[in-house]
Amino acid sequence: ADFAQMESQTLAQEEGDQETFEQDIKDCKIEMARRQSESSQKAAEEKRTLEKKREMEATRKSVAGEKEATEQYLKDLQPACVEGSSTYDDRKAARAAEVESLTEAQSLLQKAFEDKADDVEKVGFLAAKRRSAAPAQGVLRAD
């Protein structure tokens, strides 16, 4: 009786342990699949992050070059624009004088072209008069 009872308890215990073992194996496989998926996702994320890092480093290098060029340009402009010997009022007066000179030159050129147009009209009139007189003289010479 004790043997039969102990055998039935042992079988029941073994069945329970087997079910627990199978459940643990099933849970471990699920956990393993989840971790593999997570690992592949993290690997893809790492790849994207490294690519983004490379792009940002290239952009940084480009921007640093542009910044350096801009700073050099500013440094080159400093003597002429900021530390220059002329003041704003001097430059303004020089521009005003230049504009006045250009306006005067423009009016002289316009007057010269108008005078030339008048001369062309006079010469054109005289040339037409000579042309009309020339055939008559040519006819007289031919006789």
Side-chain angles (χ1 to χ4, degrees):
D2 285 336
F3 179 75
Q5 185 181 10
M6 189 166 42
E7 184 181 6
S8 69
Q9 286 178 350
T10 303
L11 287 175
Q13 181 70 31
E14 283 182 5
E15 286 178 15
D17 288 346
Q18 184 65 33
E19 288 175 10
T20 304
F21 173 76
E22 288 174 1
Q23 185 62 38
D24 284 346
I25 292 294
K26 183 179 174 185
D27 290 344
C28 285
K29 286 181 180 180
I30 291 172
E31 182 66 18
M32 185 181 207
R34 183 189 68 80
R35 287 187 183 197
Q36 284 177 343
S37 171
E38 185 178 316
S39 175
S40 64
Q41 289 173 356
K42 295 234 182 208
E45 184 179 347
E46 179 185 23
K47 186 177 178 182
R48 285 190 306 270
T49 303
L50 288 174
E51 181 61 32
K52 192 173 183 178
K53 179 185 172 193
R54 279 191 287 274
E55 289 174 5
M56 290 180 130
E57 286 174 348
T59 302
R60 180 179 171 266
K61 185 177 179 182
S62 172
V63 170
E66 289 176 15
K67 180 183 178 223
E68 185 178 318
T70 303
E71 287 173 348
Q72 182 63 41
Y73 182 67
L74 179 63
K75 185 178 174 184
D76 292 344
L77 288 178
Q78 191 75 15
C81 296
V82 177
E83 301 166 0
S85 60
S86 64
T87 64
Y88 172 76
D89 292 329
D90 294 341
R91 292 189 303 269
K92 185 177 177 183
R95 276 194 301 279
E98 184 179 6
V99 167
E100 185 179 329
S101 298
L102 288 173
T103 305
E104 183 180 332
Q106 183 181 14
S107 66
L108 287 174
L109 287 173
Q110 284 177 341
K111 186 176 179 184
F113 280 118
E114 288 171 2
D115 291 347
K116 184 168 177 132
D118 290 343
D119 290 346
V120 169
E121 287 177 9
K122 289 178 188 175
V123 170
F125 175 73
L126 291 175
K129 195 173 187 183
R130 284 187 201 144
R131 275 188 238 127
S132 63
Q137 289 174 355
V139 172
L140 292 176
R141 287 184 191 165
D143 288 337

